[in-house]
Every structure is written in C-alpha cells, then in structure tokens.
Amino acid sequence: MLLGNLSSSVQTVLTRLLRAAPELAVVGNAASADELPTLARRLRPGVVVVTEDQLSGLERLQQQFPVPVLLYSARAPLPGMLREAARLGVYDYITPAPTAAAELIEWGRQLRRKLLAVRPRPLQMGPPKILVPRVRVMPLPPQGIVVIGGSTGGAPATEVLLRTLPVDFPWAVVVAVHLPVHFTDTLVERLRRASQLPVAAAGSGSRLEAGRVLVAPGGRNLLVQPVTGSPWLGWETEFTSEASLDVPSVDLLMQSAARLAGRNVVGVVLTGLGHDGTLGAQAIRRAGGTVIVQDEASSAVFAMPKSVIQAGLATEVQPLASMAAVLTRYVPTRSGGSASRSFSRPQAVTAQ
C-alpha cells in the first residue's frame, strides 16, 4: 500500500492497524500529487491511499500505473466529489479513526476489508508452487455510454461497427438488436469474434465498464441505472417489465441512458424495420447527446434510420463503413484530447 500526504498521526494509526494483517503493508509515502505516479511505478503497490488535495494527480497516476485508490477524507465526500473521484480510480473512502476503543476496532475492520478487497493476489505457477504477485487493476467507470440499436440486418451491421472500434475505447457500449431469446448467445459470440473489445450478454446488475460491450438479451427489455447500494458513481443494467412493441426496446434503453449520462451519450440507429429508436433519439438529443444514423444505401431496411431522420433528430447520417470513425470523433479519448463533438440542437436531415 502506498500512502499519500497523510498526517504523521494518521500514518501511525494505519501502520499500527496493518500490523495485524500480515498480507498488508505500507511500501512508501508520496508527499505530493506529482510523486504519486513515480513512486507507484517504482514500488508497484496494490492500492494507494490519498487525501483530497492529491486528487488532481490521480489522472496521471491512472495513465502511468493504473491502481485502485482509497480516499482519506475528513468527512463523507459530497456526491459530486464521489462522481469525479470514481472516474479517477477511487473505489471507496475512509474517514478519520474514532477515539473510542470499540469504534476504533470496527473502523479498523472496515479499513482492512476495503484494502483486502483490491489487494494483489498471488498466482500459482505449477509445481513447485511459486507465488507471483499480481497487481489487480480496478476497471474505471465509463464517462459515457454508447447505445447501438437495430433490427433487420442489425446484427451484421453491429459486427461491422464494432470491428474497427479501438481497443482503448473509453466509453461503455450497450447493444440492443431485435432478436429472439435463443439468438442472444449466437450474437454475443459473433460480436466477440469481430471486436477487439470484451463482449458479454447483459444481465441483472451487469456493470458498465469503459471499453466493454454489453448485449441486451432477446425477449426482454433492458435499462441502465445507477449501481445500487453504493455511494460511488457507476452504472449497471437491469431488466424492466415495461412493455414495448419491439423487444429488446431501443427506445427504452436509449431513454434510460439519456437520463443517467445526459450529453455523454451517443445513440447509434442501424438498419431495421419500424421506428424503434426514434423516441430514444429524441431523449438523447434533448439531454444534449449525439445521434448517428445509418444511411439508406448501406441499410438492409431503412425504416428505423429514416424515422429518426424525418423527426429531425439525426446529428449525422453516415454509411455503415464510416460509422465507427464518426463515433470515435464524438467520444473523448483517454488522454483527454478533445473530440469534435457537436451538442447543438437537433438538426433536420433530409431523408433520402
């Protein structure tokens, strides 16, 4: 464990408590935010404990040595700070140790539990048993959500789109294609083969992670919602009993994403029958997000994209082959480079 610029009294309390946990140890102290990345690369801690005035150094820390961070705060952080800190790798916080003996014991237990939850775990490398330390990297919460929706022709179109997304794509991706239940596994496997990103079927409580693709199962409607039972910013998927004409509903999924992430949502409407996705596109644009629509020439069935275009909700209309490149223009990079995002009011695009 690497400690930040904690007071000497706090460091003494932490060190004393950790003596009772032989699997935990303090490997060093970083007196400033600038020292965090340097010491972390050299000492390779499994967790870093910092104070609020070192939060400014966490972005560079996560770029140079991704590691879970525990925030030491004089009081429970405000929700706004929690949201920002979670994006920088802070997974939990601790408050000052109480003075009463009984409360101090419980405080120590909670601290140990939080540290053990993310400590490096040994790997067994075969006989003779050799223990190799491994740093466990906590996935950072995504800063935005991409919702891809389609129907007829949507599965192969999604393959094409995901194939060229970069491996370091920084937002979460959720896919809803109108398919029967028994086709879900097939679609997930097809997307896994096509994409550099990890792909999984979404379930109840599936966490949204940066650079991970979740696929809405056939036959059920899916929403994204805040992670329950945690003060930290995070999103997860959940099934809903809300009915819709098309299942899984692109509208319901996009609307839930827009409520959560606001302008940090990009909706992608691919080929398909009907007009599912139009109400979702409306919610995204009203929240300040972006809607990219497949053009007629590359669509197997143009009804879904055409409906969005005729409603004046398309930010851009693009051929399928160009959509991944366009999508990455609207999603900020991990390095903080500004993407050429357009969050203007909905612009009317003439349907072909």
Side-chain angles (χ1 to χ4, degrees):
M1 179 173 62
L2 175 64
L3 299 181
N5 61 339
L6 305 172
S7 67
S8 57
S9 60
V10 173
Q11 291 185 29
T12 300
V13 171
L14 291 177
T15 304
R16 184 186 305 121
L17 287 171
L18 293 180
R19 287 175 185 161
E23 65 273 57
L24 298 169
V26 176
V27 296
N29 301 88
S32 68
D34 292 337
E35 283 188 323
L36 282 173
T38 303
L39 284 179
R41 290 197 309 271
R42 179 163 61 87
L43 300 174
R44 306 188 68 80
V47 62
V48 174
V49 181
V50 301
T51 56
E52 294 177 12
D53 57 0
Q54 288 184 307
L55 289 176
S56 61
L58 292 186
E59 184 173 359
R60 193 156 60 92
L61 172 67
Q62 297 300 345
Q63 290 172 357
Q64 298 184 23
F65 186 81
V67 61
V69 177
L70 193 66
L71 175 65
Y72 182 88
S73 178
R75 62 191 64 83
L78 297 174
M81 178 183 290
L82 293 182
R83 286 193 294 270
E84 189 62 30
R87 291 172 177 154
L88 299 173
V90 177
Y91 72 95
D92 212 331
Y93 69 92
I94 55 174
T95 52
T99 55
E103 294 177 357
L104 180 61
I105 292 174
E106 180 57 28
W107 182 86
R109 288 173 180 164
Q110 291 296 322
L111 172 63
R112 183 173 179 272
R113 177 185 60 78
K114 292 175 181 181
L115 292 171
L116 289 177
V118 292
R119 70 184 177 93
R121 303 190 186 280
L123 293 177
Q124 294 186 353
M125 302 298 289
K129 294 182 178 180
I130 302 174
L131 298 182
V132 178
R134 175 173 62 91
V135 175
R136 178 182 174 187
V137 178
M138 295 290 286
L140 295 179
Q143 295 187 7
I145 306 171
V146 175
V147 180
I148 301 173
S151 183
T152 307
T158 303
E159 286 184 67
V160 173
L161 176 58
L162 293 183
R163 184 172 290 120
T164 50
L165 287 185
V167 69
D168 60 347
F169 192 74
W171 284 14
V173 180
V174 188
V175 175
V177 176
H178 303 157
L179 288 174
V181 178
H182 56 279
F183 281 108
T184 300
D185 291 342
T186 302
L187 175 59
V188 169
E189 186 56 37
R190 287 173 60 177
L191 297 182
R192 281 176 178 162
R193 291 197 299 266
S195 178
Q196 302 179 79
L197 305 176
V199 181
S204 176
S206 296
R207 292 290 293 267
L208 272 65
E209 298 174 8
R212 183 187 186 204
V213 180
L214 292 176
V215 179
R220 303 188 70 177
N221 285 329
L222 192 75
L223 306 176
V224 290
Q225 64 179 21
V227 173
T228 57
S230 171
W232 300 96
L233 175 68
W235 301 319
E236 63 187 8
T237 58
E238 186 55 87
F239 298 117
T240 177
S241 59
E242 189 171 350
S244 63
L245 181 62
D246 299 297
V247 180
S249 170
V250 179
D251 282 333
L252 292 177
L253 182 57
M254 285 185 171
Q255 288 167 341
S256 67
R259 285 193 296 268
L260 284 183
R263 69 188 303 269
N264 290 334
V265 177
V266 175
V268 179
V269 180
L270 300 175
T271 171
L273 286 168
H275 51 78
D276 190 20
T278 300
L279 293 178
Q282 182 182 63
I284 291 173
R285 292 306 302 267
R286 285 179 174 175
T290 302
V291 176
I292 304 171
V293 176
Q294 186 175 353
D295 72 353
E296 183 173 13
S298 63
S299 295
V301 178
F302 191 48
M304 281 176 59
K306 182 178 181 180
S307 177
V308 175
I309 295 170
Q310 289 182 332
L313 299 168
T315 308
E316 294 204 27
V317 180
Q318 294 286 339
L320 179 61
S322 303
M323 294 184 80
V326 173
L327 177 58
T328 56
R329 284 200 285 108
Y330 286 94
V331 175
T333 62
R334 288 188 191 277
S335 60
S338 59
S340 57
R341 305 182 65 178
S342 172
F343 291 112
S344 58
R345 293 183 179 179
Q347 304 170 8
V349 180
T350 303
Q352 301 178 5

Coordinates of all heavy atoms in Angstrom, one line a residue, residues 24 60 62 67 84 112 124 143 150 206 285 342 346 349:
L24 N -0.9 -7.3 4.4 CA -1.0 -5.9 4.0 C 0.3 -5.2 4.6 O 0.7 -5.4 5.7 CB -2.2 -5.2 4.5 CG -3.6 -5.7 4.0 CD1 -4.7 -5.1 4.7 CD2 -3.7 -5.3 2.5
R60 N -3.1 11.4 -13.9 CA -1.7 11.0 -14.4 C -1.3 9.6 -13.8 O -0.7 8.8 -14.5 CB -0.7 12.1 -14.0 CG 0.6 11.9 -14.8 CD 1.3 13.2 -14.9 NE 1.6 13.8 -13.5 CZ 2.8 13.5 -12.9 NH1 3.7 12.8 -13.4 NH2 3.0 14.1 -11.7
Q62 N -3.3 7.1 -13.0 CA -4.0 6.0 -13.7 C -3.5 5.8 -15.1 O -3.6 4.7 -15.6 CB -5.5 6.3 -13.7 CG -6.2 6.4 -12.4 CD -6.1 5.1 -11.6 OE1 -5.7 4.0 -12.1 NE2 -6.3 5.2 -10.3
V67 N -4.2 1.7 -10.8 CA -4.2 1.1 -9.5 C -5.4 1.6 -8.7 O -5.8 2.8 -8.8 CB -2.9 1.4 -8.7 CG1 -2.8 2.9 -8.4 CG2 -2.9 0.6 -7.4
E84 N -16.8 12.4 -9.5 CA -15.5 12.8 -10.1 C -14.4 11.9 -9.7 O -13.6 11.4 -10.5 CB -15.1 14.2 -9.8 CG -14.0 14.8 -10.6 CD -14.2 14.8 -12.1 OE1 -15.4 14.9 -12.5 OE2 -13.3 14.6 -12.9
R112 N -9.6 -2.7 6.9 CA -8.9 -3.9 6.4 C -9.7 -4.6 5.3 O -9.2 -5.1 4.3 CB -8.7 -4.9 7.6 CG -8.0 -6.2 7.2 CD -7.7 -7.0 8.5 NE -7.0 -8.2 8.2 CZ -7.6 -9.4 7.9 NH1 -8.9 -9.4 7.9 NH2 -6.9 -10.4 7.6
Q124 N -0.6 -19.1 -8.7 CA 0.2 -20.3 -8.6 C 0.7 -20.7 -10.0 O -0.1 -20.8 -10.9 CB -0.7 -21.4 -8.0 CG -1.1 -21.2 -6.6 CD -1.8 -22.3 -5.9 OE1 -2.2 -23.3 -6.6 NE2 -2.0 -22.2 -4.6
Q143 N -17.0 7.2 -18.7 CA -17.5 8.6 -18.6 C -18.7 8.8 -19.5 O -19.3 9.9 -19.5 CB -16.4 9.6 -19.0 CG -15.2 9.5 -18.0 CD -14.2 10.6 -18.3 OE1 -14.4 11.5 -19.2 NE2 -13.1 10.6 -17.6
G150 N -30.7 -1.7 -33.4 CA -31.1 -2.1 -34.8 C -32.1 -3.2 -34.8 O -32.4 -3.8 -33.8
S206 N -25.3 -6.2 -14.3 CA -24.1 -6.2 -15.1 C -23.5 -4.7 -15.1 O -24.2 -3.8 -15.5 CB -24.3 -6.6 -16.5 OG -24.7 -8.0 -16.6
R285 N -31.1 13.6 -27.7 CA -30.9 14.9 -28.2 C -31.3 16.0 -27.2 O -30.7 17.0 -27.0 CB -31.5 15.1 -29.6 CG -30.9 14.3 -30.7 CD -29.4 14.5 -30.9 NE -29.1 15.9 -31.1 CZ -29.0 16.5 -32.3 NH1 -29.1 15.8 -33.4 NH2 -28.6 17.8 -32.4
S342 N -20.5 17.5 -31.3 CA -21.5 18.6 -31.7 C -22.7 18.3 -30.8 O -23.4 17.3 -31.0 CB -21.9 18.5 -33.1 OG -23.0 19.3 -33.4
P346 N -31.2 19.6 -32.2 CA -31.4 18.7 -33.3 C -31.5 19.4 -34.6 O -32.2 20.4 -34.8 CB -32.8 18.0 -32.9 CG -32.8 18.1 -31.5 CD -32.2 19.4 -31.1
V349 N -32.4 16.6 -41.0 CA -31.6 16.0 -42.1 C -32.6 15.4 -43.1 O -33.5 14.7 -42.7 CB -30.7 14.8 -41.5 CG1 -29.9 14.2 -42.6 CG2 -29.8 15.4 -40.5

